[in-house]
Amino acid sequence: ETTDTIGRAFDLTYDDYIEIRNFQFKTYMSAIHTETGSEYLHLENLYGIQFGKWDDLHNTFGIYLDGDYCTVKNCMMADAGDNDYRIQGDNNLFDNCQAYMFTEPNGYFFLVEGHYNTLQNCVARMYTPNPISGQGFGSRNGQYNNFINCEAHTMNYALYVRWPNTAYNTFTNCTVYAKSGLVMRDGAHHNTFDRCKVIGGNFGIAFYDSIEHGKNDPCAYDNTIQNCTFENVQYNVIRLHVAPGNYSSTVQNNKIINCTASGAEWVFKDAMPSSGNEVINCIFEDINTWLDPNNTGTAYPLNFSFDHCNFYDTPPWPVNPDTSNIIDLNPDFVDKANGDFHLNSTSPCINAGTSM
Protein backbone atom coordinates (compact mmCIF):
# COMPACT_ATOMS: atom_id res chain seq x y z
CA GLU A 1 0.00 0.00 0.00
CA THR A 2 1.40 3.39 -0.99
CA THR A 3 1.31 6.01 1.73
CA ASP A 4 2.18 9.69 1.81
CA THR A 5 2.66 10.65 5.42
CA ILE A 6 3.90 13.76 7.17
CA GLY A 7 4.89 14.87 10.62
CA ARG A 8 6.50 13.46 13.72
CA ALA A 9 4.43 11.79 16.40
CA PHE A 10 6.84 13.00 19.12
CA ASP A 11 9.57 15.55 18.46
CA LEU A 12 11.82 15.46 21.52
CA THR A 13 14.62 17.68 20.24
CA TYR A 14 16.38 19.33 23.21
CA ASP A 15 14.05 17.56 25.66
CA ASP A 16 15.49 15.70 28.65
CA TYR A 17 14.11 13.21 31.17
CA ILE A 18 10.97 12.42 29.15
CA GLU A 19 9.24 9.02 29.45
CA ILE A 20 6.97 7.70 26.71
CA ARG A 21 5.32 4.31 27.17
CA ASN A 22 2.61 2.18 25.59
CA PHE A 23 1.92 4.04 22.33
CA GLN A 24 1.05 2.81 18.84
CA PHE A 25 1.96 4.83 15.73
CA LYS A 26 1.01 4.63 12.07
CA THR A 27 1.62 6.78 8.97
CA TYR A 28 3.98 9.43 10.31
CA MET A 29 7.34 10.48 8.95
CA SER A 30 8.80 9.53 12.34
CA ALA A 31 7.41 8.02 15.52
CA ILE A 32 10.11 9.47 17.81
CA HIS A 33 12.50 12.15 16.54
CA THR A 34 15.31 13.96 18.32
CA GLU A 35 17.55 16.13 16.17
CA THR A 36 20.08 16.90 18.89
CA GLY A 37 20.59 17.60 22.57
CA SER A 38 18.18 15.14 24.23
CA GLU A 39 19.32 13.22 27.30
CA TYR A 40 17.93 10.56 29.63
CA LEU A 41 14.83 9.73 27.59
CA HIS A 42 12.97 6.52 28.42
CA LEU A 43 11.00 4.94 25.55
CA GLU A 44 9.17 1.69 26.21
CA ASN A 45 6.50 -0.47 24.59
CA LEU A 46 6.21 1.65 21.44
CA TYR A 47 4.84 0.09 18.25
CA GLY A 48 4.96 1.77 14.87
CA ILE A 49 4.21 0.82 11.27
CA GLN A 50 4.12 2.30 7.79
CA PHE A 51 6.17 5.47 7.91
CA GLY A 52 7.22 7.91 5.25
CA LYS A 53 6.72 9.38 1.81
CA TRP A 54 7.70 6.97 -0.92
CA ASP A 55 9.50 9.76 -2.77
CA ASP A 56 11.48 10.78 0.35
CA LEU A 57 12.31 7.60 2.26
CA HIS A 58 15.77 8.82 3.29
CA ASN A 59 14.10 11.21 5.72
CA THR A 60 11.84 8.57 7.24
CA PHE A 61 12.46 6.94 10.60
CA GLY A 62 10.81 4.78 13.18
CA ILE A 63 12.98 6.08 16.03
CA TYR A 64 15.64 8.70 15.26
CA LEU A 65 17.70 9.23 18.39
CA ASP A 66 20.33 11.96 18.47
CA GLY A 67 20.54 11.97 22.25
CA ASP A 68 22.66 10.56 25.06
CA TYR A 69 22.06 8.26 28.03
CA CYS A 70 18.64 7.17 26.75
CA THR A 71 16.88 3.83 27.19
CA VAL A 72 14.70 2.23 24.51
CA LYS A 73 13.00 -1.03 25.52
CA ASN A 74 10.48 -3.44 24.05
CA CYS A 75 9.77 -1.38 20.94
CA MET A 76 8.77 -2.57 17.46
CA MET A 77 9.03 -0.58 14.22
CA ALA A 78 7.93 -1.90 10.81
CA ASP A 79 8.05 -0.52 7.26
CA ALA A 80 9.84 2.61 8.43
CA GLY A 81 11.21 3.64 5.04
CA ASP A 82 14.98 3.98 5.18
CA ASN A 83 15.61 3.73 8.93
CA ASP A 84 13.73 1.72 11.54
CA TYR A 85 16.17 2.80 14.27
CA ARG A 86 18.88 5.39 13.73
CA ILE A 87 21.13 6.10 16.70
CA GLN A 88 23.41 9.14 16.47
CA GLY A 89 23.92 9.83 20.15
CA ASP A 90 26.18 8.21 22.74
CA ASN A 91 25.80 5.89 25.72
CA ASN A 92 22.29 4.72 24.86
CA LEU A 93 20.71 1.32 25.56
CA PHE A 94 18.38 -0.48 23.15
CA ASP A 95 16.97 -3.64 24.72
CA ASN A 96 14.58 -6.20 23.22
CA CYS A 97 13.60 -4.07 20.23
CA GLN A 98 12.41 -5.39 16.86
CA ALA A 99 12.49 -4.06 13.31
CA TYR A 100 10.52 -5.60 10.45
CA MET A 101 10.15 -4.87 6.77
CA PHE A 102 7.26 -6.28 4.74
CA THR A 103 7.67 -4.06 1.66
CA GLU A 104 10.70 -2.86 -0.30
CA PRO A 105 12.61 -0.60 -0.16
CA ASN A 106 14.50 -0.41 3.10
CA GLY A 107 17.97 0.72 4.05
CA TYR A 108 18.84 0.33 7.72
CA PHE A 109 17.13 -1.61 10.46
CA PHE A 110 19.48 -0.67 13.34
CA LEU A 111 22.06 1.91 12.23
CA VAL A 112 24.45 3.23 14.90
CA GLU A 113 26.45 6.37 14.14
CA GLY A 114 27.21 7.39 17.73
CA HIS A 115 29.58 5.91 20.29
CA TYR A 116 29.43 3.68 23.37
CA ASN A 117 25.90 2.46 22.64
CA THR A 118 24.59 -1.01 23.54
CA LEU A 119 22.04 -2.95 21.50
CA GLN A 120 21.01 -6.22 23.11
CA ASN A 121 18.39 -8.91 22.47
CA CYS A 122 17.17 -7.15 19.34
CA VAL A 123 15.79 -8.64 16.09
CA ALA A 124 15.81 -7.39 12.50
CA ARG A 125 13.82 -9.31 9.90
CA MET A 126 13.11 -8.79 6.21
CA TYR A 127 9.96 -10.54 4.99
CA THR A 128 9.98 -9.55 1.32
CA PRO A 129 10.79 -12.36 -1.15
CA ASN A 130 14.28 -12.17 -2.69
CA PRO A 131 15.20 -8.91 -0.94
CA ILE A 132 17.61 -6.59 -2.71
CA SER A 133 18.21 -4.34 0.28
CA GLY A 134 18.31 -4.37 4.04
CA GLN A 135 21.14 -3.73 6.49
CA GLY A 136 20.54 -5.33 9.85
CA PHE A 137 22.86 -4.32 12.71
CA GLY A 138 25.87 -2.15 12.18
CA SER A 139 27.84 1.00 12.61
CA ARG A 140 28.76 3.78 10.22
CA ASN A 141 31.46 6.03 11.71
CA GLY A 142 30.52 4.83 15.20
CA GLN A 143 33.02 3.61 17.77
CA TYR A 144 32.95 1.44 20.91
CA ASN A 145 29.41 0.22 20.32
CA ASN A 146 28.27 -3.21 21.53
CA PHE A 147 25.81 -5.50 19.77
CA ILE A 148 24.85 -8.43 22.03
CA ASN A 149 22.53 -11.40 21.41
CA CYS A 150 20.97 -9.86 18.31
CA GLU A 151 19.41 -11.66 15.32
CA ALA A 152 19.31 -10.61 11.66
CA HIS A 153 17.14 -12.46 9.14
CA THR A 154 17.43 -12.30 5.33
CA MET A 155 19.57 -9.16 5.06
CA ASN A 156 21.96 -8.05 2.34
CA TYR A 157 24.31 -6.92 5.13
CA ALA A 158 23.34 -8.61 8.36
CA LEU A 159 26.16 -7.52 10.72
CA TYR A 160 28.39 -4.80 9.33
CA VAL A 161 30.93 -2.07 9.94
CA ARG A 162 31.51 0.56 7.28
CA TRP A 163 33.41 3.83 6.65
CA PRO A 164 36.88 4.85 7.81
CA ASN A 165 36.08 6.09 11.32
CA THR A 166 34.18 2.93 12.26
CA ALA A 167 36.33 1.22 14.89
CA TYR A 168 36.36 -0.70 18.16
CA ASN A 169 32.80 -1.97 17.81
CA THR A 170 32.00 -5.45 19.14
CA PHE A 171 29.39 -8.00 18.04
CA THR A 172 28.88 -10.78 20.60
CA ASN A 173 26.63 -13.85 20.39
CA CYS A 174 24.78 -12.51 17.37
CA THR A 175 23.10 -14.80 14.82
CA VAL A 176 22.55 -14.32 11.10
CA TYR A 177 19.98 -16.33 9.16
CA ALA A 178 20.36 -16.40 5.38
CA LYS A 179 21.34 -13.93 2.66
CA SER A 180 24.64 -12.59 4.09
CA GLY A 181 27.10 -12.71 6.98
CA LEU A 182 29.72 -10.48 8.61
CA VAL A 183 30.72 -7.44 6.53
CA MET A 184 33.74 -5.14 6.89
CA ARG A 185 34.01 -2.39 4.29
CA ASP A 186 35.04 1.11 3.28
CA GLY A 187 37.95 1.47 5.73
CA ALA A 188 36.44 -0.04 8.90
CA HIS A 189 39.11 -1.19 11.36
CA HIS A 190 39.74 -2.69 14.82
CA ASN A 191 36.25 -4.18 15.12
CA THR A 192 35.51 -7.57 16.70
CA PHE A 193 32.98 -10.29 15.92
CA ASP A 194 32.93 -12.80 18.78
CA ARG A 195 30.83 -15.98 19.10
CA CYS A 196 28.60 -15.06 16.19
CA LYS A 197 26.79 -17.56 13.95
CA VAL A 198 26.02 -17.35 10.24
CA ILE A 199 23.49 -19.94 9.10
CA GLY A 200 22.91 -20.20 5.36
CA GLY A 201 23.27 -17.14 3.17
CA ASN A 202 25.63 -16.27 0.34
CA PHE A 203 28.83 -15.82 2.36
CA GLY A 204 30.27 -16.01 5.84
CA ILE A 205 32.72 -13.08 5.93
CA ALA A 206 33.00 -10.30 3.35
CA PHE A 207 35.44 -7.44 2.77
CA TYR A 208 35.04 -4.73 0.15
CA ASP A 209 35.42 -1.06 -0.73
CA SER A 210 32.47 0.71 -2.36
CA ILE A 211 32.40 4.07 -4.13
CA GLU A 212 30.18 5.35 -1.32
CA HIS A 213 32.97 6.94 0.75
CA GLY A 214 35.74 7.27 -1.79
CA LYS A 215 38.66 4.90 -2.08
CA ASN A 216 39.83 3.46 1.25
CA ASP A 217 43.05 1.47 1.06
CA PRO A 218 43.11 -0.70 3.06
CA CYS A 219 39.37 -1.24 2.84
CA ALA A 220 39.26 -3.26 6.07
CA TYR A 221 42.13 -3.75 8.49
CA ASP A 222 42.98 -5.03 11.97
CA ASN A 223 39.52 -6.53 12.46
CA THR A 224 39.10 -9.75 14.44
CA ILE A 225 36.61 -12.56 13.83
CA GLN A 226 36.85 -15.08 16.65
CA ASN A 227 34.91 -18.08 17.98
CA CYS A 228 32.39 -17.80 15.15
CA THR A 229 30.62 -20.54 13.16
CA PHE A 230 29.58 -20.51 9.51
CA GLU A 231 27.06 -23.20 8.68
CA ASN A 232 25.99 -24.24 5.16
CA VAL A 233 27.07 -21.03 3.44
CA GLN A 234 25.93 -21.17 -0.17
CA TYR A 235 29.01 -19.65 -1.85
CA ASN A 236 32.14 -18.30 -0.08
CA VAL A 237 33.22 -18.70 3.51
CA ILE A 238 35.52 -15.66 3.05
CA ARG A 239 34.76 -13.17 0.29
CA LEU A 240 37.18 -10.50 -0.93
CA HIS A 241 34.68 -8.81 -3.16
CA VAL A 242 34.72 -6.04 -5.73
CA ALA A 243 31.48 -5.12 -7.48
CA PRO A 244 31.47 -3.41 -10.89
CA GLY A 245 32.43 0.24 -10.49
CA ASN A 246 33.78 -0.18 -6.95
CA TYR A 247 37.39 -0.04 -5.78
CA SER A 248 39.82 -2.91 -5.54
CA SER A 249 41.45 -2.02 -2.22
CA THR A 250 43.61 -4.11 0.12
CA VAL A 251 42.24 -6.37 2.85
CA GLN A 252 44.95 -6.07 5.48
CA ASN A 253 45.99 -7.52 8.84
CA ASN A 254 42.66 -9.07 9.76
CA LYS A 255 42.56 -12.12 12.04
CA ILE A 256 40.18 -15.09 11.94
CA ILE A 257 40.65 -17.12 15.13
CA ASN A 258 39.00 -20.23 16.58
CA CYS A 259 36.28 -20.29 13.93
CA THR A 260 34.47 -23.19 12.28
CA ALA A 261 33.09 -23.34 8.73
CA SER A 262 31.01 -26.37 7.80
CA GLY A 263 29.43 -26.65 4.38
CA ALA A 264 30.13 -24.21 1.51
CA GLU A 265 30.89 -24.16 -2.18
CA TRP A 266 34.23 -22.27 -1.91
CA VAL A 267 36.58 -21.28 0.88
CA PHE A 268 37.65 -17.99 -0.75
CA LYS A 269 36.75 -15.43 -3.35
CA ASP A 270 39.97 -13.54 -4.09
CA ALA A 271 38.82 -10.54 -6.14
CA MET A 272 40.77 -7.98 -4.06
CA PRO A 273 44.42 -7.72 -2.98
CA SER A 274 45.24 -8.89 0.53
CA SER A 275 48.16 -8.51 2.92
CA GLY A 276 49.11 -9.84 6.34
CA ASN A 277 45.84 -11.61 7.17
CA GLU A 278 45.90 -14.59 9.56
CA VAL A 279 43.68 -17.66 10.02
CA ILE A 280 44.48 -19.40 13.31
CA ASN A 281 42.98 -22.43 15.08
CA CYS A 282 40.16 -22.75 12.56
CA ILE A 283 38.25 -25.75 11.19
CA PHE A 284 37.12 -25.93 7.56
CA GLU A 285 34.92 -28.93 6.88
CA ASP A 286 32.86 -30.08 3.89
CA ILE A 287 33.95 -27.30 1.50
CA ASN A 288 33.67 -28.23 -2.19
CA THR A 289 36.38 -26.07 -3.79
CA TRP A 290 39.17 -23.82 -2.60
CA LEU A 291 38.83 -20.70 -4.81
CA ASP A 292 35.74 -19.21 -6.42
CA PRO A 293 36.37 -18.97 -10.18
CA ASN A 294 33.49 -16.54 -10.73
CA ASN A 295 35.31 -13.29 -9.94
CA THR A 296 33.71 -10.04 -11.06
CA GLY A 297 37.19 -8.48 -10.91
CA THR A 298 40.81 -9.53 -11.17
CA ALA A 299 41.94 -12.58 -9.20
CA TYR A 300 44.74 -11.60 -6.80
CA PRO A 301 47.29 -13.70 -4.91
CA LEU A 302 45.78 -14.79 -1.63
CA ASN A 303 47.77 -13.29 1.23
CA PHE A 304 46.30 -15.20 4.18
CA SER A 305 48.46 -17.35 6.45
CA PHE A 306 47.04 -20.50 8.06
CA ASP A 307 48.32 -21.68 11.43
CA HIS A 308 47.08 -24.72 13.38
CA CYS A 309 44.03 -25.27 11.19
CA ASN A 310 42.08 -28.39 10.27
CA PHE A 311 40.91 -28.87 6.68
CA TYR A 312 38.68 -31.95 6.56
CA ASP A 313 36.77 -33.05 3.47
CA THR A 314 38.05 -29.89 1.76
CA PRO A 315 39.93 -29.75 -1.58
CA PRO A 316 43.71 -29.66 -2.08
CA TRP A 317 45.63 -26.52 -1.24
CA PRO A 318 46.40 -23.92 -3.89
CA VAL A 319 50.01 -23.50 -4.92
CA ASN A 320 52.44 -22.49 -2.13
CA PRO A 321 50.08 -21.50 0.70
CA ASP A 322 51.58 -19.93 3.81
CA THR A 323 50.78 -22.67 6.33
CA SER A 324 52.03 -24.34 9.49
CA ASN A 325 50.67 -27.18 11.63
CA ILE A 326 47.82 -28.15 9.32
CA ILE A 327 45.83 -31.36 9.84
CA ASP A 328 43.17 -33.14 7.79
CA LEU A 329 41.05 -35.11 10.28
CA ASN A 330 37.38 -35.50 11.10
CA PRO A 331 36.79 -32.80 13.74
CA ASP A 332 34.15 -34.98 15.48
CA PHE A 333 31.47 -32.37 16.20
CA VAL A 334 28.91 -33.02 18.95
CA ASP A 335 25.86 -32.74 16.67
CA LYS A 336 26.59 -31.24 13.27
CA ALA A 337 23.11 -32.07 11.92
CA ASN A 338 21.54 -29.80 14.52
CA GLY A 339 24.13 -27.03 14.41
CA ASP A 340 26.16 -28.00 17.48
CA PHE A 341 29.80 -27.55 16.43
CA HIS A 342 31.32 -28.09 19.84
CA LEU A 343 33.94 -30.83 19.85
CA ASN A 344 33.44 -34.25 21.34
CA SER A 345 36.00 -35.32 23.92
CA THR A 346 37.51 -37.65 21.30
CA SER A 347 38.07 -34.91 18.72
CA PRO A 348 41.60 -34.70 17.28
CA CYS A 349 41.24 -30.88 17.32
CA ILE A 350 41.29 -30.70 21.12
CA ASN A 351 44.66 -29.34 22.26
CA ALA A 352 45.78 -29.20 18.63
CA GLY A 353 45.66 -25.41 18.39
CA THR A 354 48.05 -22.71 19.49
CA SER A 355 47.61 -20.41 22.48
CA MET A 356 46.35 -16.92 21.70
Side-chain angles (χ1 to χ4, degrees):
E1 180 180 350
T2 300
T3 62
D4 190 17
T5 59
I6 60 173
R8 301 168 180 172
F10 286 93
D11 190 333
L12 303 178
T13 301
Y14 297 116
D15 289 333
D16 302 330
Y17 296 99
I18 302 292
E19 295 191 15
I20 301 176
R21 305 172 188 260
N22 306 322
F23 274 83
Q24 297 182 8
F25 308 93
K26 184 178 180 182
T27 61
Y28 285 90
M29 286 296 286
S30 300
I32 304 293
H33 203 103
T34 67
E35 287 289 350
T36 187
S38 299
E39 293 186 344
Y40 299 100
L41 305 177
H42 187 101
L43 311 175
E44 187 169 357
N45 297 332
L46 307 182
Y47 299 88
I49 190 168
Q50 203 171 347
F51 295 91
K53 296 181 179 180
W54 286 97
D55 62 350
D56 190 19
L57 290 175
H58 288 287
N59 292 311
T60 302
F61 312 96
I63 294 178
Y64 182 104
L65 182 63
D66 190 355
D68 304 328
Y69 304 103
C70 301
T71 299
V72 183
K73 296 181 63 176
N74 305 328
C75 294
M76 187 276 288
M77 297 292 143
D79 287 343
D82 200 51
N83 298 265
D84 286 302
Y85 300 85
R86 187 165 179 175
I87 302 120
Q88 292 195 317
D90 304 334
N91 297 292
N92 299 293
L93 171 65
F94 281 68
D95 185 15
N96 194 37
C97 293
Q98 293 84 42
Y100 301 106
M101 181 53 59
F102 300 94
T103 58
E104 297 273 9
N106 178 263
Y108 302 96
F109 284 71
F110 291 87
L111 171 60
V112 181
E113 297 176 298
H115 313 309
Y116 298 100
N117 297 286
T118 297
L119 283 72
Q120 61 188 30
N121 308 316
C122 296
V123 176
R125 186 187 295 268
M126 177 80 82
Y127 280 99
T128 57
N130 302 313
I132 59 172
S133 61
Q135 302 188 50
F137 295 90
S139 184
R140 188 174 68 183
N141 281 342
Q143 298 184 1
Y144 298 100
N145 298 293
N146 291 293
F147 302 81
I148 305 168
N149 297 328
C150 295
E151 292 184 8
H153 299 253
T154 324
M155 301 283 164
N156 263 7
Y157 303 105
L159 307 178
Y160 64 90
V161 284
R162 58 193 294 185
W163 291 14
N165 292 326
T166 306
Y168 305 105
N169 301 288
T170 302
F171 298 76
T172 306
N173 286 327
C174 295
T175 305
V176 175
Y177 296 92
K179 191 64 176 176
S180 69
L182 318 180
V183 179
M184 287 143 278
R185 53 176 283 191
D186 303 336
H189 59 94
H190 291 96
N191 301 284
T192 300
F193 297 84
D194 185 20
R195 288 167 285 161
C196 295
K197 296 181 181 180
V198 176
I199 302 171
N202 295 336
F203 59 84
I205 301 167
F207 305 95
Y208 79 97
D209 192 9
S210 74
I211 61 174
E212 181 177 286
H213 204 276
K215 184 176 178 63
N216 299 281
D217 201 353
C219 70
Y221 62 96
D222 293 313
N223 299 290
T224 300
I225 302 98
Q226 61 188 24
N227 308 313
C228 296
T229 59
F230 306 93
E231 178 182 354
N232 295 324
V233 173
Q234 184 175 2
Y235 299 119
N236 322 105
V237 178
I238 303 169
R239 175 178 290 185
L240 284 64
H241 177 64
V242 57
N246 287 344
Y247 299 111
S248 183
S249 302
T250 306
V251 178
Q252 183 172 301
N253 295 341
N254 300 285
K255 289 182 172 61
I256 303 171
I257 305 169
N258 297 336
C259 293
T260 296
S262 177
E265 186 64 30
W266 301 287
V267 178
F268 275 99
K269 183 172 186 175
D270 59 340
M272 297 178 69
S274 56
S275 174
N277 302 285
E278 299 177 75
V279 182
I280 304 169
N281 294 344
C282 291
I283 299 172
F284 295 84
E285 187 255 0
D286 191 21
I287 314 293
N288 291 334
T289 309
W290 184 259
L291 289 175
D292 184 347
N294 302 310
N295 277 327
T296 52
T298 303
Y300 288 88
L302 193 62
N303 195 325
F304 277 71
S305 65
F306 301 87
D307 183 17
H308 288 82
C309 292
N310 183 20
F311 287 84
Y312 177 71
D313 197 15
T314 297
W317 290 88
V319 177
N320 297 324
D322 182 4
T323 64
S324 61
N325 297 290
I326 301 301
I327 61 175
D328 179 10
L329 299 171
N330 187 336
D332 193 13
F333 298 125
V334 169
D335 190 359
K336 172 184 171 180
N338 290 301
D340 188 346
F341 294 98
H342 290 92
L343 301 175
N344 278 312
S345 60
T346 54
S347 171
C349 298
I350 293 177
N351 296 325
T354 184
S355 299
M356 298 298 299

